Coordinates of all heavy atoms in Angstrom, one line a residue:
T1 N -80.2 -31.6 30.4 CA -80.8 -30.3 30.7 C -80.8 -29.5 29.4 O -81.3 -28.3 29.4 CB -80.0 -29.5 31.7 OG1 -78.7 -29.3 31.3 CG2 -80.0 -30.2 33.1
G2 N -80.3 -29.9 28.3 CA -80.3 -29.2 27.0 C -79.2 -28.1 26.9 O -79.3 -27.3 26.0
S3 N -78.3 -28.1 27.8 CA -77.2 -27.2 27.7 C -75.9 -27.8 28.1 O -75.8 -28.9 28.7 CB -77.4 -25.9 28.6 OG -77.4 -26.3 29.9
S4 N -74.8 -27.2 27.8 CA -73.5 -27.6 28.2 C -72.7 -26.6 29.0 O -73.2 -25.4 29.1 CB -72.6 -28.0 26.9 OG -73.2 -29.0 26.2
D5 N -71.6 -26.9 29.5 CA -70.7 -26.0 30.2 C -69.4 -26.1 29.5 O -68.4 -26.7 30.0 CB -70.5 -26.4 31.7 CG -71.9 -26.4 32.4 OD1 -72.6 -25.5 32.2 OD2 -72.1 -27.3 33.2
P6 N -69.3 -25.4 28.3 CA -68.1 -25.6 27.4 C -66.9 -24.7 27.8 O -67.1 -23.7 28.4 CB -68.6 -25.3 26.1 CG -69.7 -24.3 26.3 CD -70.3 -24.7 27.6
Y7 N -65.7 -25.3 27.5 CA -64.5 -24.6 27.6 C -63.6 -25.2 26.5 O -63.9 -26.2 25.9 CB -63.8 -24.7 28.9 CG -63.4 -26.1 29.4 CD1 -62.1 -26.5 29.1 CD2 -64.3 -26.9 30.0 CE1 -61.7 -27.8 29.5 CE2 -63.9 -28.2 30.4 CZ -62.6 -28.6 30.1 OH -62.2 -29.9 30.5
C8 N -62.5 -24.5 26.2 CA -61.6 -25.0 25.1 C -60.2 -25.2 25.7 O -59.8 -24.5 26.6 CB -61.4 -24.0 24.0 SG -62.9 -23.8 23.0
I9 N -59.5 -26.2 25.2 CA -58.1 -26.5 25.4 C -57.4 -26.4 24.1 O -57.8 -27.0 23.1 CB -57.9 -27.9 26.1 CG1 -58.6 -27.9 27.4 CG2 -56.4 -28.2 26.2 CD1 -58.5 -29.3 28.1
V10 N -56.3 -25.7 24.1 CA -55.5 -25.6 22.9 C -54.2 -26.4 23.2 O -53.6 -26.2 24.2 CB -55.1 -24.1 22.6 CG1 -54.2 -24.0 21.4 CG2 -56.4 -23.3 22.4
K11 N -53.9 -27.2 22.2 CA -52.7 -28.1 22.4 C -51.8 -27.9 21.2 O -52.3 -27.7 20.0 CB -53.0 -29.6 22.5 CG -53.8 -29.9 23.7 CD -54.0 -31.4 23.8 CE -54.7 -31.8 25.0 NZ -54.9 -33.3 25.1
I12 N -50.5 -27.9 21.4 CA -49.5 -28.0 20.3 C -48.8 -29.3 20.4 O -48.2 -29.6 21.4 CB -48.5 -26.8 20.4 CG1 -49.2 -25.5 20.3 CG2 -47.4 -27.0 19.3 CD1 -48.3 -24.3 20.4
D13 N -49.0 -30.1 19.4 CA -48.5 -31.5 19.4 C -48.7 -32.2 20.7 O -47.8 -32.7 21.4 CB -47.0 -31.4 19.1 CG -46.6 -30.9 17.7 OD1 -47.5 -31.1 16.8 OD2 -45.5 -30.4 17.5
D14 N -50.0 -32.2 21.2 CA -50.4 -32.9 22.4 C -50.0 -32.3 23.7 O -50.2 -32.9 24.7 CB -50.1 -34.4 22.3 CG -50.8 -35.2 21.2 OD1 -52.0 -34.8 21.0 OD2 -50.2 -36.1 20.6
E15 N -49.4 -31.1 23.7 CA -49.1 -30.4 24.9 C -50.1 -29.3 25.1 O -50.1 -28.4 24.3 CB -47.6 -29.9 24.8 CG -47.3 -29.2 26.1 CD -45.9 -28.5 26.0 OE1 -45.1 -28.8 25.1 OE2 -45.6 -27.7 26.9
A16 N -50.8 -29.4 26.2 CA -51.8 -28.3 26.5 C -51.1 -27.0 26.8 O -50.2 -27.0 27.7 CB -52.7 -28.7 27.6
I17 N -51.5 -25.9 26.1 CA -50.8 -24.7 26.4 C -51.8 -23.6 26.9 O -51.4 -22.6 27.5 CB -50.1 -24.1 25.2 CG1 -51.0 -24.0 24.0 CG2 -48.9 -25.0 24.8 CD1 -50.4 -23.2 22.8
V18 N -53.1 -23.8 26.6 CA -54.1 -22.8 27.0 C -55.4 -23.5 27.3 O -55.8 -24.5 26.7 CB -54.5 -21.8 25.8 CG1 -55.6 -20.9 26.1 CG2 -53.2 -21.0 25.4
R19 N -56.1 -23.0 28.4 CA -57.4 -23.4 28.7 C -58.3 -22.2 28.9 O -57.9 -21.3 29.7 CB -57.4 -24.3 30.0 CG -58.8 -24.8 30.3 CD -58.9 -25.2 31.8 NE -60.1 -25.9 32.1 CZ -61.3 -25.4 32.4 NH1 -61.5 -24.1 32.3 NH2 -62.3 -26.2 32.7
T20 N -59.4 -22.1 28.2 CA -60.2 -20.9 28.3 C -61.1 -21.1 29.6 O -61.1 -22.1 30.2 CB -61.2 -20.8 27.1 OG1 -62.1 -21.9 27.1 CG2 -60.4 -20.7 25.8
A21 N -61.8 -20.0 29.9 CA -62.8 -20.0 30.9 C -64.0 -20.9 30.5 O -64.2 -21.1 29.3 CB -63.3 -18.6 31.2
T22 N -64.7 -21.4 31.4 CA -65.9 -22.2 31.2 C -67.1 -21.2 31.0 O -67.2 -20.2 31.8 CB -66.2 -23.1 32.3 OG1 -65.1 -24.0 32.5 CG2 -67.5 -23.9 32.1
V23 N -67.9 -21.4 30.0 CA -69.1 -20.7 29.8 C -70.2 -21.5 30.2 O -70.5 -22.6 29.6 CB -69.2 -20.2 28.3 CG1 -70.5 -19.4 28.1 CG2 -68.0 -19.5 27.8
W24 N -70.9 -21.2 31.3 CA -71.9 -22.0 31.9 C -73.2 -22.1 31.2 O -73.7 -21.0 30.7 CB -72.1 -21.6 33.4 CG -70.8 -21.6 34.1 CD1 -70.0 -20.6 34.4 CD2 -70.1 -22.8 34.6 NE1 -68.9 -21.0 35.1 CE2 -68.9 -22.3 35.2 CE3 -70.3 -24.1 34.6 CZ2 -67.9 -23.2 35.8 CZ3 -69.4 -25.0 35.1 CH2 -68.2 -24.5 35.7
K25 N -73.8 -23.2 31.1 CA -75.2 -23.5 30.7 C -75.5 -22.8 29.3 O -76.4 -22.0 29.2 CB -76.2 -23.0 31.8 CG -76.0 -23.7 33.1 CD -77.1 -23.3 34.0 CE -77.0 -23.8 35.4 NZ -76.4 -25.1 35.7
T26 N -74.8 -23.3 28.3 CA -75.1 -22.7 27.0 C -74.7 -23.7 25.9 O -73.9 -24.6 26.1 CB -74.3 -21.4 26.7 OG1 -74.7 -20.9 25.4 CG2 -72.8 -21.6 26.7
L27 N -75.4 -23.6 24.8 CA -75.0 -24.4 23.6 C -74.4 -23.5 22.5 O -74.0 -23.9 21.5 CB -76.3 -25.1 23.0 CG -76.9 -26.1 23.9 CD1 -78.2 -26.7 23.2 CD2 -75.9 -27.3 24.1
S28 N -74.3 -22.2 22.8 CA -73.7 -21.2 21.9 C -72.7 -20.3 22.6 O -72.9 -19.1 22.8 CB -74.8 -20.3 21.3 OG -75.8 -21.1 20.6
P29 N -71.6 -20.9 23.0 CA -70.6 -20.2 23.8 C -69.9 -19.1 23.0 O -69.7 -19.3 21.8 CB -69.7 -21.2 24.3 CG -69.7 -22.3 23.3 CD -71.1 -22.3 22.8
F30 N -69.5 -18.0 23.7 CA -68.6 -17.1 23.1 C -67.5 -16.7 24.2 O -67.9 -16.4 25.3 CB -69.3 -15.8 22.7 CG -68.4 -14.7 22.3 CD1 -67.8 -14.7 21.0 CD2 -68.0 -13.6 23.1 CE1 -67.0 -13.7 20.5 CE2 -67.1 -12.7 22.7 CZ -66.6 -12.7 21.4
W31 N -66.3 -16.9 23.8 CA -65.2 -16.7 24.8 C -64.6 -15.3 24.8 O -64.4 -14.7 25.8 CB -64.1 -17.8 24.7 CG -64.6 -19.1 25.2 CD1 -64.6 -19.5 26.5 CD2 -65.1 -20.1 24.5 NE1 -65.1 -20.7 26.6 CE2 -65.5 -21.2 25.4 CE3 -65.4 -20.3 23.1 CZ2 -66.0 -22.4 24.9 CZ3 -66.0 -21.5 22.7 CH2 -66.3 -22.5 23.6
G32 N -64.4 -14.8 23.6 CA -63.9 -13.4 23.4 C -62.5 -13.3 24.0 O -62.0 -12.2 24.4
E33 N -61.7 -14.4 24.1 CA -60.4 -14.4 24.7 C -59.4 -14.5 23.5 O -59.6 -15.1 22.5 CB -60.2 -15.6 25.6 CG -61.1 -15.6 26.8 CD -61.0 -16.9 27.6 OE1 -59.9 -17.5 27.7 OE2 -62.0 -17.2 28.2
E34 N -58.3 -13.8 23.7 CA -57.2 -13.8 22.7 C -55.9 -14.3 23.3 O -55.6 -13.9 24.5 CB -57.0 -12.4 22.1 CG -58.1 -12.0 21.2 CD -57.9 -10.6 20.6 OE1 -56.7 -10.3 20.4 OE2 -58.8 -9.9 20.3
Y35 N -55.1 -15.1 22.6 CA -53.9 -15.6 23.1 C -52.9 -15.4 22.0 O -53.2 -15.6 20.8 CB -54.0 -17.1 23.5 CG -55.0 -17.3 24.6 CD1 -56.3 -17.6 24.3 CD2 -54.6 -17.2 25.9 CE1 -57.2 -17.9 25.3 CE2 -55.5 -17.4 26.9 CZ -56.8 -17.8 26.6 OH -57.7 -18.0 27.6
E36 N -51.6 -15.1 22.4 CA -50.5 -15.1 21.4 C -49.6 -16.3 21.8 O -49.2 -16.4 22.9 CB -49.8 -13.8 21.5 CG -48.7 -13.7 20.5 CD -48.1 -12.3 20.4 OE1 -48.8 -11.3 20.5 OE2 -46.8 -12.2 20.3
V37 N -49.4 -17.1 20.8 CA -48.5 -18.3 21.0 C -47.4 -18.3 20.0 O -47.6 -18.1 18.8 CB -49.4 -19.6 20.8 CG1 -48.6 -20.8 20.9 CG2 -50.6 -19.6 21.8
R38 N -46.2 -18.6 20.4 CA -45.1 -18.7 19.5 C -44.9 -20.2 19.2 O -44.7 -21.0 20.1 CB -43.8 -18.1 20.2 CG -44.0 -16.7 20.7 CD -43.0 -15.8 20.0 NE -43.1 -14.5 20.5 CZ -43.6 -13.5 19.9 NH1 -44.1 -13.7 18.7 NH2 -43.7 -12.3 20.4
L39 N -45.0 -20.5 17.9 CA -44.9 -21.9 17.5 C -43.4 -22.2 17.1 O -42.8 -21.4 16.4 CB -45.8 -22.1 16.3 CG -47.3 -22.0 16.6 CD1 -48.1 -22.0 15.3 CD2 -47.8 -23.0 17.5
Q40 N -43.0 -23.3 17.6 CA -41.6 -23.7 17.2 C -41.7 -24.2 15.7 O -42.7 -24.7 15.3 CB -41.2 -24.9 18.1 CG -41.0 -24.6 19.5 CD -40.0 -23.5 19.8 OE1 -38.9 -23.5 19.1 NE2 -40.2 -22.6 20.7
P41 N -40.6 -24.0 15.0 CA -40.6 -24.3 13.5 C -40.8 -25.8 13.3 O -41.2 -26.3 12.2 CB -39.2 -23.9 13.0 CG -38.6 -23.1 14.1 CD -39.4 -23.3 15.3
T42 N -40.6 -26.6 14.4 CA -40.8 -28.1 14.2 C -42.1 -28.6 14.6 O -42.3 -29.8 14.6 CB -39.7 -28.8 15.1 OG1 -39.9 -28.4 16.4 CG2 -38.3 -28.4 14.6
F43 N -43.1 -27.7 15.0 CA -44.4 -28.3 15.4 C -45.1 -28.9 14.2 O -44.9 -28.6 13.1 CB -45.2 -27.1 16.0 CG -46.1 -26.4 15.0 CD1 -47.4 -26.7 14.8 CD2 -45.5 -25.4 14.2 CE1 -48.1 -26.0 13.9 CE2 -46.2 -24.7 13.3 CZ -47.6 -25.0 13.1
H44 N -46.0 -29.8 14.6 CA -46.8 -30.5 13.6 C -48.3 -30.1 13.5 O -48.8 -29.9 12.4 CB -46.8 -32.0 13.8 CG -45.4 -32.6 13.8 ND1 -44.8 -32.8 12.6 CD2 -44.6 -33.0 14.7 CE1 -43.6 -33.3 12.8 NE2 -43.4 -33.5 14.1
C45 N -48.9 -29.8 14.7 CA -50.3 -29.6 14.7 C -50.7 -28.7 15.9 O -50.2 -29.0 17.0 CB -51.0 -30.9 14.7 SG -52.8 -30.8 14.7
V46 N -51.6 -27.8 15.7 CA -52.3 -27.1 16.7 C -53.7 -27.6 16.8 O -54.4 -27.6 15.8 CB -52.3 -25.5 16.5 CG1 -53.1 -24.8 17.5 CG2 -50.9 -25.0 16.3
S47 N -54.1 -28.1 17.9 CA -55.4 -28.7 18.1 C -56.2 -27.9 19.1 O -55.7 -27.4 20.1 CB -55.3 -30.2 18.7 OG -54.6 -31.0 17.8
I48 N -57.5 -27.7 18.8 CA -58.4 -27.0 19.7 C -59.5 -28.0 20.0 O -60.2 -28.5 19.1 CB -59.0 -25.7 19.1 CG1 -57.8 -24.8 18.6 CG2 -59.9 -25.0 20.0 CD1 -58.2 -23.7 17.7
Y49 N -59.6 -28.3 21.3 CA -60.7 -29.2 21.8 C -61.8 -28.4 22.5 O -61.5 -27.5 23.3 CB -60.1 -30.2 22.8 CG -59.1 -31.2 22.3 CD1 -57.8 -30.8 22.0 CD2 -59.5 -32.4 22.0 CE1 -56.9 -31.7 21.5 CE2 -58.7 -33.4 21.5 CZ -57.3 -33.0 21.2 OH -56.5 -33.9 20.7
V50 N -63.0 -28.6 22.2 CA -64.1 -28.0 22.9 C -64.6 -29.1 23.9 O -65.0 -30.2 23.5 CB -65.3 -27.6 22.0 CG1 -66.4 -26.9 22.8 CG2 -64.8 -26.6 21.0
M51 N -64.6 -28.8 25.2 CA -64.9 -29.7 26.2 C -66.2 -29.3 26.9 O -66.5 -28.1 27.0 CB -63.8 -29.8 27.2 CG -62.4 -30.0 26.7 SD -62.2 -31.6 26.0 CE -62.3 -32.7 27.4
D52 N -66.9 -30.3 27.5 CA -68.1 -30.0 28.3 C -67.7 -30.4 29.8 O -67.4 -31.5 30.1 CB -69.2 -30.9 27.9 CG -70.5 -30.6 28.7 OD1 -70.6 -29.6 29.4 OD2 -71.4 -31.4 28.5
E53 N -67.6 -29.3 30.6 CA -67.2 -29.5 32.0 C -68.3 -30.3 32.7 O -69.5 -30.0 32.6 CB -66.9 -28.2 32.7 CG -66.3 -28.3 34.0 CD -65.7 -27.0 34.5 OE1 -65.1 -26.3 33.7 OE2 -65.8 -26.8 35.7
D54 N -67.9 -31.3 33.5 CA -68.8 -32.1 34.3 C -68.3 -32.3 35.7 O -67.2 -32.9 35.8 CB -69.0 -33.4 33.6 CG -70.2 -34.2 34.1 OD1 -70.6 -34.0 35.3 OD2 -70.8 -35.0 33.4
A55 N -69.0 -31.9 36.7 CA -68.5 -32.0 38.1 C -68.6 -33.4 38.6 O -67.8 -33.8 39.5 CB -69.3 -31.1 39.0
L56 N -69.4 -34.2 38.0 CA -69.6 -35.6 38.6 C -68.9 -36.7 37.8 O -68.7 -37.8 38.3 CB -71.1 -35.9 38.6 CG -72.0 -35.0 39.4 CD1 -73.4 -35.4 39.3 CD2 -71.5 -35.0 40.9
S57 N -68.4 -36.4 36.6 CA -67.6 -37.4 35.9 C -66.6 -36.7 35.0 O -66.4 -35.5 35.1 CB -68.6 -38.2 35.0 OG -69.2 -37.4 34.0
R58 N -65.9 -37.5 34.2 CA -64.9 -36.9 33.3 C -65.5 -36.0 32.3 O -66.6 -36.2 31.8 CB -64.2 -38.1 32.6 CG -63.0 -37.8 31.9 CD -62.4 -39.1 31.4 NE -61.0 -38.8 30.9 CZ -60.2 -39.7 30.7 NH1 -60.5 -41.0 30.8 NH2 -59.0 -39.4 30.2
D59 N -64.8 -34.9 32.0 CA -65.2 -33.9 31.0 C -65.3 -34.6 29.7 O -64.4 -35.4 29.3 CB -64.3 -32.7 31.0 CG -64.4 -31.9 32.3 OD1 -65.2 -32.2 33.1 OD2 -63.6 -30.9 32.4
D60 N -66.3 -34.3 28.9 CA -66.5 -34.9 27.5 C -65.9 -33.9 26.5 O -66.1 -32.7 26.5 CB -67.9 -35.1 27.2 CG -68.6 -36.1 28.2 OD1 -68.0 -37.1 28.5 OD2 -69.7 -35.8 28.6
V61 N -65.3 -34.6 25.4 CA -64.9 -33.8 24.2 C -66.2 -33.7 23.4 O -66.8 -34.7 23.0 CB -63.8 -34.6 23.4 CG1 -63.5 -33.8 22.2 CG2 -62.6 -34.7 24.3
I62 N -66.6 -32.4 23.0 CA -67.7 -32.3 22.2 C -67.4 -31.7 20.8 O -68.2 -31.5 20.0 CB -68.8 -31.4 22.9 CG1 -68.3 -30.1 23.4 CG2 -69.4 -32.2 24.1 CD1 -69.3 -29.2 24.0
G63 N -66.1 -31.4 20.6 CA -65.6 -30.9 19.3 C -64.1 -30.8 19.3 O -63.5 -30.7 20.3
K64 N -63.5 -30.9 18.1 CA -62.1 -30.8 17.9 C -61.8 -30.4 16.5 O -62.4 -30.8 15.6 CB -61.4 -32.2 18.2 CG -59.9 -32.2 17.9 CD -59.4 -33.6 18.0 CE -57.9 -33.6 17.6 NZ -57.4 -34.9 17.5
V65 N -60.7 -29.5 16.4 CA -60.2 -29.2 15.1 C -58.6 -29.2 15.2 O -58.1 -28.9 16.3 CB -60.7 -27.8 14.6 CG1 -60.2 -26.7 15.5 CG2 -60.2 -27.5 13.2
C66 N -58.0 -29.7 14.2 CA -56.5 -29.8 14.1 C -56.1 -29.0 12.9 O -56.5 -29.2 11.8 CB -56.1 -31.3 14.0 SG -54.3 -31.4 14.0
I67 N -55.2 -28.1 13.2 CA -54.6 -27.2 12.1 C -53.1 -27.6 12.0 O -52.4 -27.4 12.9 CB -54.8 -25.7 12.5 CG1 -56.3 -25.4 12.7 CG2 -54.2 -24.9 11.3 CD1 -56.5 -24.1 13.4
T68 N -52.8 -28.1 10.9 CA -51.4 -28.6 10.7 C -50.5 -27.4 10.3 O -51.0 -26.3 9.8 CB -51.3 -29.6 9.6 OG1 -51.7 -29.0 8.3 CG2 -52.2 -30.8 9.9
R69 N -49.2 -27.6 10.4 CA -48.2 -26.6 10.0 C -48.4 -26.3 8.5 O -48.3 -25.1 8.1 CB -46.8 -27.1 10.3 CG -45.7 -26.1 9.9 CD -44.4 -26.6 10.2 NE -44.1 -28.0 9.6 CZ -43.2 -28.8 10.1 NH1 -42.5 -28.5 11.1 NH2 -43.1 -30.0 9.5
D70 N -48.7 -27.3 7.7 CA -48.9 -27.0 6.2 C -50.1 -26.2 6.0 O -50.0 -25.3 5.1 CB -49.0 -28.4 5.5 CG -47.7 -29.2 5.5 OD1 -46.6 -28.6 5.7 OD2 -47.8 -30.4 5.3
M71 N -51.2 -26.4 6.7 CA -52.4 -25.6 6.6 C -52.1 -24.1 6.9 O -52.5 -23.2 6.2 CB -53.5 -26.1 7.4 CG -54.0 -27.5 7.0 SD -55.1 -28.2 8.2 CE -56.6 -27.4 7.9
L72 N -51.3 -23.9 8.0 CA -51.0 -22.5 8.4 C -50.1 -21.9 7.3 O -50.2 -20.7 7.1 CB -50.3 -22.5 9.7 CG -51.3 -22.7 10.9 CD1 -50.5 -22.8 12.2 CD2 -52.3 -21.6 11.0
A73 N -49.2 -22.6 6.8 CA -48.3 -22.1 5.8 C -49.1 -21.7 4.5 O -48.7 -20.7 3.9 CB -47.2 -23.1 5.4
E74 N -50.1 -22.4 4.2 CA -50.9 -22.1 3.0 C -51.8 -20.9 3.2 O -52.2 -20.2 2.3 CB -51.8 -23.3 2.6 CG -51.0 -24.5 2.1 CD -51.9 -25.7 1.9 OE1 -53.1 -25.6 1.9 OE2 -51.4 -26.8 1.7
H75 N -52.2 -20.7 4.5 CA -53.1 -19.6 4.8 C -52.6 -18.8 6.1 O -53.2 -18.9 7.1 CB -54.5 -20.1 5.1 CG -55.1 -21.0 4.1 ND1 -55.6 -20.5 2.9 CD2 -55.2 -22.3 3.9 CE1 -56.0 -21.4 2.1 NE2 -55.7 -22.6 2.7
P76 N -51.5 -18.1 5.9 CA -50.9 -17.5 7.1 C -51.7 -16.4 7.8 O -51.5 -16.2 9.0 CB -49.6 -16.8 6.5 CG -49.9 -16.6 5.1 CD -50.9 -17.8 4.7
K77 N -52.8 -15.9 7.2 CA -53.6 -14.9 7.9 C -54.8 -15.5 8.5 O -55.7 -14.8 9.0 CB -54.0 -13.8 6.9 CG -52.8 -13.0 6.5 CD -53.3 -11.8 5.6 CE -52.1 -11.0 5.2 NZ -52.4 -9.8 4.5
G78 N -55.0 -16.9 8.4 CA -56.1 -17.5 9.1 C -57.1 -18.1 8.1 O -56.9 -18.1 6.9

């Protein structure tokens, strides 16, 4: 149909901690959601997955970014 039903999942070291709302029928989603997460000093990676919700089959991963502890230490303000 030329559009997706995207949502995001935030994981810390493969443990899902946040799931955003689904933005229906768009290729340019905006969530406008904010979360505060306390990271343990031993974490390795924060991953953000962009998923396409699908009622008839398994949701598809349409994007992913992984931010390591070292990357955050180098750029603490983002």
